[in-house]
Structure formats: structure tokens, C-alpha cells
């Protein structure tokens, strides 16, 4: 049985937009950029916990990368913690 979590359509849209911004960043490393673009299109309000965890890890990576603009790093840190909290509920 696969575990699922619900994050709500507004939260999914917000995280998707943040991932798009990270993915379109000129200074963002290619591997991070590619993953962010992929997950920006794949995020869904009712997705499997494993996929949501992958997005949270991706956001954690972005939040610690100096080539990602500071406002996006801060938002990525916030949303990674939020998503991880939704999985623990």
C-alpha cells in the first residue's frame, strides 16, 4: 500500500511555481534545474509520500545552494519543512 498525503491545491501551485523559478534560474546548477522543472510539472495535491519527500529533498538542496537566489533559498527552506510536516501528520 502506498502512503499518500494531501497538501491542498493552493500549496501545490505555490510549490510548483517556486520549483519553476528555481528551474529557470540562470545560475542554478543544471542537475538541480532539471529536477526542479520536472517536479514543478509533476506536483499534485494528492501525491504519494515518496514523491512528496523527493520534492522536499529537492527544496532542501536548493535552499543550501549559493547559486540559487537568496529569496528562493529562503522560500525553499520553508516549503521543504512544510512538506515534511505534512508527511508526519
Amino acid at each position: 500500500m502506498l502512503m499518500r498525503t494531501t497538501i491542498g491545491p493552493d500549496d501545490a501551485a505555490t510549490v510548483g511555481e517556486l520549483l519553476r523559478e528555481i528551474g529557470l534560474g540562470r545560475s542554478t546548477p543544471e542537475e538541480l534545474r532539471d529536477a526542479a522543472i520536472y517536479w514543478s510539472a509533476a506536483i499534485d495535491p494528492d501525491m504519494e509520500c515518496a514523491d512528496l519527500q523527493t520534492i522536499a529533498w529537492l527544496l532542501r538542496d536548493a535552499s543550501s545552494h549559493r547559486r540559487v537566489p537568496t529569496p528562493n533559498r529562503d522560500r525553499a527552506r520553508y516549503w521543504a519543512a512544510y512538506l515534511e510536516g505534512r508527511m508526519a501528520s
Side-chain angles (χ1 to χ4, degrees):
M1 183 169 106
L2 296 173
M3 291 179 51
R4 293 192 177 274
T5 189
T6 303
I7 59 170
D10 290 340
D11 293 339
T14 300
V15 172
E17 179 59 32
L18 174 58
L19 289 168
R20 266 187 300 284
E21 288 177 24
I22 292 168
L24 295 174
R26 291 181 183 190
S27 62
T28 303
E30 185 176 355
E31 184 176 310
L32 182 58
R33 210 173 45 234
D34 291 346
I37 291 296
Y38 171 81
W39 286 107
S40 73
I43 192 165
D44 184 79
D46 183 35
M47 60 189 326
E48 296 174 13
C49 277
D51 291 336
L52 202 59
Q53 181 62 66
T54 299
I55 292 171
W57 285 332
L58 175 61
L59 291 170
R60 288 259 180 235
D61 286 347
S63 75
S64 65
H65 207 290
R66 292 190 182 271
R67 290 175 56 191
V68 172
T70 301
N72 285 347
R73 287 197 321 249
D74 293 343
R75 290 174 53 215
R77 189 175 304 108
Y78 168 84
W79 283 105
Y82 175 82
L83 294 176
E84 290 168 345
R86 296 298 298 165
M87 289 180 282
S89 300

